[in-house]
Amino acid sequence: MSALVKRSVLLAGHATSVALEPEFWAVLDRIAAERGLTKAGLLKMIDAERGRRPLASACRVLALEWSARGRD
């Protein structure tokens, strides 16, 4: 099992961190590049669209959905 990797970001004026497996970060980095966003920009987008879902879960779901579309 891969160790979690934390990344910090400022969301809605509050500092927070997200801990994910490196494999998820790799996919999220590709999504950010495809969309012309920084990593922080992608996390801000995910945060704005996640509803009540925890941020780490929303990140994993986005990565899985993106991969399922055959882009990975």
Side-chain angles (χ1 to χ4, degrees):
M1 184 193 279
S2 299
L4 296 178
V5 175
K6 280 190 178 184
R7 291 195 182 167
S8 298
V9 66
L10 190 65
L11 298 175
H14 301 284
T16 191
S17 62
V18 182
L20 298 171
E21 296 78 8
E23 296 84 357
F24 282 105
W25 283 124
V27 174
L28 292 173
D29 289 343
R30 289 194 288 276
I31 295 169
E34 178 184 276
R35 296 181 180 186
L37 298 170
T38 63
K39 294 169 195 163
L42 181 64
L43 289 174
K44 288 177 185 178
M45 183 207 74
I46 295 168
D47 183 53
E49 298 175 358
R50 70 186 170 102
R52 296 182 60 145
R53 180 176 290 181
L55 182 57
S57 296
C59 290
R60 288 183 180 99
V61 168
L62 175 65
L64 289 171
E65 288 174 346
W66 188 84
S67 295
R69 290 186 207 127
R71 295 181 178 160
D72 195 31

Coordinates of all heavy atoms in Angstrom, one line a residue:
M1 N 0.8 -1.2 0.0 CA 0.0 0.0 0.0 C 0.9 1.2 0.0 O 1.9 1.3 0.7 CB -0.9 0.0 1.2 CG -1.9 1.2 1.2 SD -2.7 1.5 2.7 CE -4.0 0.3 2.7
S2 N 0.5 2.2 -0.8 CA 1.3 3.4 -0.9 C 1.0 4.4 0.3 O -0.1 4.4 0.8 CB 1.0 4.2 -2.2 OG 1.3 3.4 -3.3
A3 N 2.0 5.0 0.8 CA 1.9 6.0 1.8 C 1.1 7.2 1.3 O 1.2 7.6 0.1 CB 3.2 6.4 2.4
L4 N 0.4 7.9 2.1 CA -0.3 9.1 1.7 C 0.7 10.2 1.6 O 1.6 10.4 2.3 CB -1.4 9.4 2.7 CG -2.5 8.4 2.9 CD1 -3.5 8.9 4.0 CD2 -3.3 8.2 1.6
V5 N 0.4 11.1 0.6 CA 1.2 12.3 0.4 C 0.3 13.5 0.6 O -0.8 13.6 0.0 CB 1.8 12.3 -1.0 CG1 2.5 13.6 -1.3 CG2 2.7 11.1 -1.3
K6 N 0.7 14.4 1.5 CA -0.1 15.6 1.8 C 0.3 16.8 0.9 O 1.5 17.0 0.6 CB 0.1 16.0 3.2 CG -0.7 15.3 4.2 CD -0.7 15.9 5.6 CE -1.5 15.1 6.5 NZ -1.6 15.8 7.8
R7 N -0.7 17.5 0.4 CA -0.4 18.8 -0.3 C -1.3 19.8 0.4 O -2.5 19.6 0.8 CB -0.8 18.7 -1.8 CG 0.2 17.8 -2.5 CD 0.0 17.9 -4.0 NE 0.9 17.0 -4.7 CZ 0.9 16.8 -5.9 NH1 0.0 17.3 -6.7 NH2 1.7 15.9 -6.5
S8 N -0.7 21.0 0.6 CA -1.4 22.1 1.2 C -1.9 23.1 0.2 O -1.3 23.3 -0.8 CB -0.5 22.8 2.2 OG -0.1 21.9 3.2
V9 N -3.1 23.7 0.5 CA -3.7 24.7 -0.4 C -4.5 25.6 0.4 O -5.0 25.3 1.5 CB -4.5 23.9 -1.5 CG1 -5.7 23.2 -0.9 CG2 -4.9 24.9 -2.6
L10 N -4.7 26.8 -0.1 CA -5.6 27.8 0.5 C -7.0 27.7 -0.2 O -7.1 28.0 -1.4 CB -5.0 29.2 0.3 CG -5.7 30.3 1.1 CD1 -5.5 30.1 2.6 CD2 -5.0 31.7 0.7
L11 N -8.0 27.3 0.5 CA -9.3 27.2 -0.1 C -10.3 28.1 0.6 O -10.4 28.0 1.9 CB -9.8 25.8 0.0 CG -9.0 24.7 -0.7 CD1 -9.6 23.3 -0.4 CD2 -9.0 24.9 -2.2
A12 N -11.0 29.0 -0.1 CA -11.9 29.9 0.5 C -11.3 30.7 1.7 O -12.0 30.9 2.7 CB -13.2 29.2 0.9
G13 N -10.1 31.0 1.5 CA -9.4 31.8 2.5 C -8.9 31.0 3.7 O -8.4 31.6 4.7
H14 N -9.0 29.7 3.7 CA -8.5 28.9 4.8 C -7.5 27.9 4.3 O -7.7 27.2 3.3 CB -9.7 28.1 5.4 CG -10.8 29.0 5.9 ND1 -10.7 29.7 7.1 CD2 -12.0 29.3 5.4 CE1 -11.8 30.4 7.3 NE2 -12.6 30.2 6.3
A15 N -6.4 27.8 5.0 CA -5.3 26.8 4.7 C -5.9 25.4 5.1 O -6.4 25.2 6.1 CB -4.1 27.1 5.5
T16 N -5.7 24.5 4.1 CA -6.0 23.1 4.4 C -5.0 22.2 3.7 O -4.2 22.6 2.9 CB -7.5 22.8 3.9 OG1 -7.9 21.5 4.4 CG2 -7.6 22.9 2.4
S17 N -5.1 20.9 4.0 CA -4.2 20.0 3.3 C -5.1 18.8 2.9 O -6.1 18.5 3.6 CB -3.0 19.6 4.2 OG -3.5 18.9 5.4
V18 N -4.6 18.1 1.9 CA -5.3 16.9 1.4 C -4.3 15.8 1.3 O -3.2 16.0 0.8 CB -5.9 17.2 -0.1 CG1 -6.6 16.0 -0.6 CG2 -6.8 18.4 -0.1
A19 N -4.6 14.7 1.8 CA -3.7 13.5 1.8 C -4.3 12.5 0.9 O -5.4 12.0 1.1 CB -3.5 13.0 3.2
L20 N -3.5 12.1 -0.1 CA -3.9 11.1 -1.1 C -2.7 10.2 -1.4 O -1.6 10.6 -1.2 CB -4.4 11.7 -2.4 CG -5.6 12.6 -2.4 CD1 -5.8 13.3 -3.7 CD2 -6.8 11.9 -2.0
E21 N -3.0 9.1 -2.0 CA -2.0 8.2 -2.4 C -1.3 8.8 -3.6 O -1.9 9.6 -4.4 CB -2.6 6.8 -2.8 CG -3.2 6.1 -1.7 CD -4.6 6.6 -1.3 OE1 -5.2 7.5 -1.9 OE2 -5.1 6.1 -0.2
P22 N 0.0 8.6 -3.8 CA 0.7 9.2 -5.0 C 0.1 8.9 -6.3 O 0.1 9.7 -7.2 CB 2.1 8.5 -4.9 CG 2.3 8.0 -3.5 CD 0.9 7.7 -3.0
E23 N -0.5 7.7 -6.4 CA -1.2 7.3 -7.7 C -2.3 8.3 -8.1 O -2.5 8.7 -9.2 CB -1.7 5.9 -7.7 CG -0.6 4.9 -7.5 CD -0.1 4.6 -6.1 OE1 -0.6 5.3 -5.1 OE2 0.7 3.7 -5.9
F24 N -3.1 8.7 -7.0 CA -4.1 9.7 -7.3 C -3.6 11.0 -7.6 O -4.1 11.7 -8.5 CB -5.1 9.8 -6.1 CG -6.1 8.6 -6.0 CD1 -5.9 7.6 -5.1 CD2 -7.1 8.5 -6.9 CE1 -6.8 6.5 -5.0 CE2 -8.0 7.5 -6.8 CZ -7.8 6.5 -5.9
W25 N -2.5 11.5 -6.9 CA -1.9 12.8 -7.2 C -1.4 12.8 -8.7 O -1.5 13.8 -9.3 CB -0.7 13.1 -6.2 CG -1.2 13.5 -4.9 CD1 -0.9 13.0 -3.7 CD2 -2.0 14.6 -4.6 NE1 -1.5 13.7 -2.7 CE2 -2.2 14.7 -3.2 CE3 -2.7 15.6 -5.4 CZ2 -2.9 15.7 -2.6 CZ3 -3.5 16.6 -4.7 CH2 -3.6 16.6 -3.4
A26 N -0.8 11.7 -9.1 CA -0.3 11.6 -10.5 C -1.5 11.9 -11.5 O -1.3 12.6 -12.5 CB 0.3 10.3 -10.8
V27 N -2.6 11.2 -11.3 CA -3.7 11.5 -12.2 C -4.2 12.9 -12.1 O -4.5 13.6 -13.1 CB -4.9 10.4 -11.9 CG1 -6.1 10.8 -12.7 CG2 -4.4 9.0 -12.2
L28 N -4.4 13.4 -10.8 CA -4.8 14.8 -10.7 C -3.9 15.8 -11.3 O -4.3 16.8 -11.9 CB -5.0 15.1 -9.2 CG -6.2 14.4 -8.5 CD1 -6.2 14.6 -7.0 CD2 -7.5 14.7 -9.1
D29 N -2.6 15.5 -11.3 CA -1.6 16.4 -11.9 C -1.8 16.4 -13.5 O -1.8 17.4 -14.1 CB -0.2 15.9 -11.7 CG 0.3 16.2 -10.2 OD1 -0.4 17.0 -9.5 OD2 1.3 15.6 -9.8
R30 N -2.2 15.2 -14.0 CA -2.5 15.1 -15.5 C -3.8 15.9 -15.8 O -3.9 16.6 -16.8 CB -2.5 13.7 -15.9 CG -1.2 13.0 -15.9 CD -1.1 11.7 -16.7 NE -1.8 10.6 -16.0 CZ -1.3 9.9 -15.1 NH1 -0.1 10.1 -14.7 NH2 -2.0 8.9 -14.6
I31 N -4.8 15.8 -14.9 CA -6.0 16.5 -15.1 C -5.8 18.0 -15.1 O -6.3 18.7 -16.0 CB -7.1 16.1 -14.1 CG1 -7.5 14.7 -14.2 CG2 -8.3 17.0 -14.2 CD1 -8.3 14.1 -13.1
A32 N -5.0 18.5 -14.1 CA -4.7 19.9 -14.0 C -4.0 20.4 -15.3 O -4.3 21.4 -15.9 CB -3.8 20.2 -12.8
A33 N -3.0 19.6 -15.8 CA -2.3 20.0 -17.0 C -3.2 20.1 -18.2 O -3.1 21.0 -19.0 CB -1.1 19.0 -17.2
E34 N -4.1 19.1 -18.3 CA -5.0 19.0 -19.4 C -5.9 20.3 -19.4 O -6.3 20.8 -20.5 CB -5.9 17.8 -19.4 CG -6.9 17.7 -20.5 CD -7.8 16.4 -20.3 OE1 -7.3 15.3 -20.7 OE2 -8.9 16.5 -19.7
R35 N -6.3 20.7 -18.2 CA -7.2 21.8 -18.1 C -6.5 23.2 -18.0 O -7.2 24.2 -17.9 CB -8.1 21.6 -16.9 CG -9.0 20.4 -17.1 CD -9.9 20.2 -15.9 NE -10.8 19.0 -16.1 CZ -11.7 18.6 -15.3 NH1 -12.0 19.4 -14.2 NH2 -12.4 17.5 -15.5
G36 N -5.2 23.2 -18.0 CA -4.5 24.4 -18.0 C -4.5 25.0 -16.6 O -4.5 26.3 -16.5
L37 N -4.6 24.2 -15.6 CA -4.7 24.7 -14.2 C -3.5 24.3 -13.4 O -2.8 23.3 -13.7 CB -5.9 24.0 -13.5 CG -7.3 24.3 -14.0 CD1 -8.3 23.4 -13.4 CD2 -7.7 25.8 -13.8
T38 N -3.2 25.1 -12.3 CA -2.2 24.6 -11.4 C -2.8 23.6 -10.5 O -4.0 23.4 -10.5 CB -1.8 25.8 -10.5 OG1 -2.9 26.3 -9.7 CG2 -1.2 27.0 -11.3
K39 N -2.0 22.9 -9.7 CA -2.5 21.9 -8.8 C -3.5 22.6 -7.8 O -4.6 22.0 -7.5 CB -1.4 21.2 -8.0 CG -0.5 20.4 -8.9 CD 0.8 20.0 -8.2 CE 1.8 19.5 -9.2 NZ 3.1 19.4 -8.7
A40 N -3.1 23.7 -7.3 CA -4.0 24.5 -6.4 C -5.3 24.9 -7.1 O -6.4 24.8 -6.5 CB -3.3 25.7 -5.9
G41 N -5.2 25.3 -8.3 CA -6.4 25.7 -9.1 C -7.3 24.5 -9.3 O -8.6 24.7 -9.2
L42 N -6.8 23.3 -9.5 CA -7.6 22.1 -9.6 C -8.3 21.8 -8.3 O -9.5 21.5 -8.3 CB -6.8 20.9 -10.1 CG -7.7 19.6 -10.3 CD1 -8.7 19.8 -11.4 CD2 -6.7 18.5 -10.6
L43 N -7.6 21.9 -7.2 CA -8.1 21.6 -5.9 C -9.2 22.6 -5.6 O -10.2 22.2 -5.0 CB -7.1 21.6 -4.8 CG -6.1 20.4 -4.9 CD1 -5.0 20.6 -3.8 CD2 -6.8 19.1 -4.6
K44 N -9.0 23.9 -6.0 CA -10.1 24.9 -5.7 C -11.3 24.5 -6.5 O -12.5 24.7 -6.0 CB -9.6 26.3 -6.1 CG -8.6 26.8 -5.1 CD -8.0 28.1 -5.6 CE -6.9 28.6 -4.6 NZ -6.3 29.8 -5.0
M45 N -11.2 24.1 -7.8 CA -12.3 23.7 -8.6 C -13.0 22.5 -8.0 O -14.3 22.5 -7.9 CB -11.8 23.3 -10.0 CG -13.0 23.0 -10.9 SD -12.5 21.9 -12.3 CE -12.3 20.3 -11.4
I46 N -12.3 21.5 -7.5 CA -12.9 20.3 -6.9 C -13.6 20.7 -5.7 O -14.8 20.3 -5.4 CB -11.8 19.3 -6.6 CG1 -11.2 18.7 -7.9 CG2 -12.4 18.1 -5.7 CD1 -9.9 17.9 -7.7
D47 N -13.0 21.6 -4.9 CA -13.7 22.1 -3.6 C -15.0 22.8 -3.9 O -16.0 22.5 -3.2 CB -12.7 23.0 -2.9 CG -13.3 23.5 -1.5 OD1 -13.7 22.6 -0.7 OD2 -13.3 24.7 -1.3
A48 N -15.0 23.6 -4.9 CA -16.2 24.3 -5.3 C -17.4 23.4 -5.7 O -18.5 23.8 -5.6 CB -15.9 25.4 -6.3
E49 N -17.0 22.3 -6.3 CA -18.0 21.4 -6.9 C -18.3 20.2 -6.1 O -19.2 19.4 -6.5 CB -17.5 21.0 -8.3 CG -17.4 22.1 -9.3 CD -16.8 21.7 -10.6 OE1 -16.5 20.5 -10.8 OE2 -16.6 22.6 -11.4
R50 N -17.7 20.0 -4.9 CA -17.8 18.7 -4.2 C -19.1 18.5 -3.4 O -19.4 17.4 -2.9 CB -16.6 18.5 -3.3 CG -16.5 19.4 -2.1 CD -15.2 19.2 -1.4 NE -14.9 20.2 -0.4 CZ -15.1 20.0 0.9 NH1 -15.5 18.9 1.3 NH2 -14.8 21.0 1.7
G51 N -19.8 19.6 -3.1 CA -21.0 19.5 -2.2 C -20.5 19.1 -0.8 O -19.6 19.7 -0.3
R52 N -21.2 18.1 -0.3 CA -20.9 17.7 1.1 C -19.9 16.6 1.2 O -19.5 16.1 2.3 CB -22.2 17.2 1.8 CG -23.2 18.3 1.9 CD -24.4 17.9 2.6 NE -24.1 17.4 3.9 CZ -24.8 17.5 5.0 NH1 -26.0 18.1 4.9 NH2 -24.4 17.1 6.1
R53 N -19.4 16.1 0.1 CA -18.4 15.0 0.0 C -17.0 15.6 0.6 O -16.6 16.7 0.2 CB -18.2 14.6 -1.4 CG -17.2 13.5 -1.6 CD -17.2 13.0 -3.0 NE -18.4 12.3 -3.3 CZ -18.8 11.8 -4.5 NH1 -18.0 11.8 -5.5 NH2 -19.9 11.2 -4.6
P54 N -16.3 14.8 1.4 CA -15.0 15.2 1.8 C -14.1 15.5 0.6 O -14.2 14.8 -0.4 CB -14.5 14.0 2.6 CG -15.8 13.3 3.0 CD -16.7 13.5 1.9
L55 N -13.2 16.4 0.8 CA -12.3 16.9 -0.3 C -11.5 15.7 -0.8 O -11.4 15.6 -2.1 CB -11.5 18.1 0.1 CG -10.5 18.6 -0.9 CD1 -11.3 19.1 -2.1 CD2 -9.7 19.8 -0.3
A56 N -10.9 15.0 0.0 CA -10.0 13.8 -0.4 C -10.9 12.8 -1.3 O -10.4 12.4 -2.3 CB -9.4 13.1 0.7
S57 N -12.1 12.6 -0.8 CA -13.0 11.7 -1.6 C -13.3 12.2 -2.9 O -13.3 11.5 -3.9 CB -14.2 11.4 -0.8 OG -14.0 10.7 0.4
A58 N -13.6 13.5 -3.0 CA -13.9 14.2 -4.2 C -12.8 14.1 -5.2 O -12.9 14.0 -6.4 CB -14.4 15.6 -4.0
C59 N -11.6 14.3 -4.7 CA -10.4 14.2 -5.5 C -10.2 12.8 -6.1 O -10.0 12.6 -7.3 CB -9.1 14.5 -4.7 SG -9.0 16.2 -4.2
R60 N -10.4 11.8 -5.3 CA -10.3 10.4 -5.7 C -11.4 10.1 -6.8 O -11.1 9.4 -7.8 CB -10.4 9.4 -4.6 CG -9.2 9.4 -3.7 CD -9.4 8.3 -2.6 NE -8.2 8.3 -1.7 CZ -8.2 8.9 -0.5 NH1 -9.2 9.6 -0.1 NH2 -7.1 8.9 0.2
V61 N -12.6 10.5 -6.5 CA -13.7 10.3 -7.5 C -13.4 10.9 -8.8 O -13.6 10.3 -9.9 CB -15.1 10.8 -6.9 CG1 -16.1 10.8 -8.0 CG2 -15.5 9.9 -5.8
L62 N -12.9 12.2 -8.8 CA -12.6 12.8 -10.1 C -11.5 12.1 -10.8 O -11.6 11.8 -12.0 CB -12.1 14.3 -9.8 CG -11.6 15.0 -11.1 CD1 -12.8 15.2 -12.1 CD2 -11.0 16.4 -10.7
A63 N -10.5 11.6 -10.1 CA -9.4 10.9 -10.7 C -9.9 9.6 -11.3 O -9.5 9.2 -12.4 CB -8.3 10.6 -9.7
L64 N -10.8 8.9 -10.6 CA -11.3 7.6 -11.1 C -12.2 7.9 -12.4 O -12.1 7.1 -13.3 CB -12.1 6.9 -10.0 CG -11.3 6.3 -8.9 CD1 -12.2 5.8 -7.8 CD2 -10.4 5.2 -9.5
E65 N -13.1 8.9 -12.3 CA -13.9 9.2 -13.4 C -13.1 9.6 -14.7 O -13.4 9.1 -15.8 CB -14.9 10.3 -13.1 CG -16.0 9.9 -12.1 CD -16.8 11.1 -11.6 OE1 -16.5 12.2 -11.8 OE2 -17.9 10.8 -11.1
W66 N -12.1 10.4 -14.5 CA -11.2 10.8 -15.6 C -10.5 9.6 -16.2 O -10.5 9.5 -17.4 CB -10.2 11.8 -15.1 CG -9.4 12.5 -16.1 CD1 -9.8 13.6 -16.9 CD2 -8.1 12.2 -16.5 NE1 -8.7 13.9 -17.7 CE2 -7.7 13.1 -17.5 CE3 -7.2 11.2 -16.1 CZ2 -6.4 13.0 -18.1 CZ3 -6.0 11.1 -16.7 CH2 -5.6 12.0 -17.7
S67 N -10.0 8.7 -15.3 CA -9.3 7.5 -15.8 C -10.3 6.6 -16.6 O -9.9 6.0 -17.5 CB -8.6 6.8 -14.7 OG -7.6 7.6 -14.1
A68 N -11.5 6.5 -16.1 CA -12.5 5.6 -16.7 C -12.8 6.1 -18.1 O -13.3 5.3 -18.9 CB -13.7 5.5 -15.8
R69 N -12.6 7.3 -18.4 CA -12.9 7.9 -19.7 C -11.9 7.5 -20.8 O -11.9 7.9 -21.9 CB -13.1 9.4 -19.7 CG -14.3 9.8 -19.0 CD -14.5 11.3 -19.1 NE -15.3 11.8 -18.0 CZ -14.9 12.8 -17.2 NH1 -13.8 13.4 -17.4 NH2 -15.7 13.1 -16.2
G70 N -10.9 6.7 -20.3 CA -9.8 6.3 -21.2 C -8.7 7.2 -21.5 O -8.0 7.2 -22.4
R71 N -8.5 8.2 -20.5 CA -7.5 9.2 -20.7 C -6.2 8.8 -20.0 O -5.3 9.5 -20.0 CB -8.0 10.5 -20.2 CG -9.1 11.1 -21.0 CD -9.5 12.4 -20.5 NE -10.6 12.9 -21.3 CZ -11.4 13.9 -21.0 NH1 -11.3 14.4 -19.8 NH2 -12.3 14.3 -21.8
D72 N -6.2 7.7 -19.3 CA -5.1 7.4 -18.4 C -4.5 6.1 -18.9 O -5.1 5.2 -19.4 CB -5.5 7.3 -17.0 CG -4.3 7.3 -16.0 OD1 -3.3 7.9 -16.4 OD2 -4.4 6.6 -15.0

